[in-house]
C-alpha cells in the first residue's frame, strides 16, 4: 500500500517497520493520495481528522477534534491537529 511512501509509527513498532524496508519519519502523520500513516498516542485522532477533512472539510474535522479534546485544551488541540493534517490535504 505504501508504494515508496515513508511511514510514521510508534517507537515499539518502528524497528519492525524499518526491517520491512520502509523509511520512518519522526513526525505524527504523513499522507499521499488516500494513504496515510500516523504514529503515537494521538495517531487515531490524526488519522480521523485527516479523513474527515478530506471528505467533509477542515471545519468538520476541527469540530470533531474540538468535541473530543480535553476541557481547557480545545483551541490548542484543534490548532495542533490542523497544523499536522493541513499539509496533506
Amino acid at each position: 500500500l505504501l508504494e515508496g511512501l515513508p511511514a510514521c509509527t510508534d517507537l515499539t513498532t518502528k524497528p519492525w517497520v524499518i526491517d520491512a524496508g520502509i523509511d520512518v519519519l519522526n513526525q505524527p502523520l504523513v499522507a499521499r493520495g488516500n494513504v496515510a500513516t500516523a504514529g503515537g498516542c494521538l495517531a487515531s485522532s490524526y488519522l480521523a481528522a485527516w479523513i474527515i477533512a478530506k471528505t467533509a472539510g477542515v471545519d468538520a474535522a476541527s469540530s470533531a477534534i474540538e468535541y473530543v479534546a480535553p476541557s481547557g485544551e480545545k483551541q490548542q488541540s484543534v490548532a495542533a491537529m490542523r497544523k499536522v493534517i493541513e499539509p496533506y490535504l
Side-chain angles (χ1 to χ4, degrees):
L1 288 175
L2 295 179
E3 296 181 357
L5 181 70
C8 300
T9 190
D10 61 90
L11 291 176
T12 301
T13 310
K14 183 178 178 177
W16 298 325
V17 176
I18 292 170
D19 285 347
I22 299 166
D23 292 327
V24 175
L25 301 177
N26 185 28
Q27 61 189 56
L29 177 94
V30 65
R32 181 176 59 212
N34 289 327
V35 177
T37 64
C41 63
L42 294 175
S44 60
S45 294
Y46 288 125
L47 290 169
W50 176 76
I51 290 168
I52 293 167
K54 281 186 66 79
T55 58
V58 174
D59 289 341
S62 296
S63 293
I65 294 305
E66 182 177 17
Y67 180 77
V68 300
S71 296
E73 297 181 5
K74 295 194 180 287
Q75 288 180 341
Q76 299 94 323
S77 296
V78 169
M81 192 67 60
R82 288 179 70 137
K83 183 179 176 184
V84 169
I85 68 168
E86 285 180 343
Y88 300 104
L89 297 175

